[in-house]
Amino acid sequence: MRAIPGFLGADVLRDDASNEVSFVVLTRFSSLEDIGRFARGGDLEVAIIERKAAGLLARYDERAHHYRTALFQR
């Protein structure tokens, strides 16, 4: 993903608290326009799940959620 214009980074959150493991993937982009260029067909709400990853998952959200972020520093 580092080659995608506007890509700033990503985090993968893992939760083992239940009887199955769940993940949340947070990706950061410079703008919604950059996300639109990355999104298939330009639809910002369609989650991008690579075929290999989808094959490893029991289920996943098909819709993406977008949030504005704020940076807090000491």
Side-chain angles (χ1 to χ4, degrees):
M1 292 187 64
R2 290 181 182 106
I4 298 169
F7 176 73
L8 299 175
D11 294 297
V12 178
L13 309 179
R14 178 182 170 137
D15 181 9
D16 296 323
S18 65
N19 61 344
E20 65 182 18
V21 177
S22 62
F23 297 93
V24 174
V25 178
L26 303 171
T27 56
R28 292 178 304 284
F29 285 83
S30 295
S31 67
L32 286 176
E33 291 79 20
D34 289 329
I35 295 170
R37 284 190 285 276
F38 168 65
R40 294 185 181 130
D43 186 348
L44 299 178
E45 300 301 316
V46 175
I48 305 297
I49 309 294
E50 294 300 324
R51 187 172 294 157
K52 283 184 178 181
L56 298 172
L57 301 171
R59 65 180 180 282
Y60 54 87
D61 291 341
E62 295 185 11
R63 306 305 292 170
H65 303 277
H66 302 285
Y67 301 88
R68 295 190 185 278
T69 58
L71 177 63
F72 298 96
Q73 295 179 334
R74 292 184 118 170

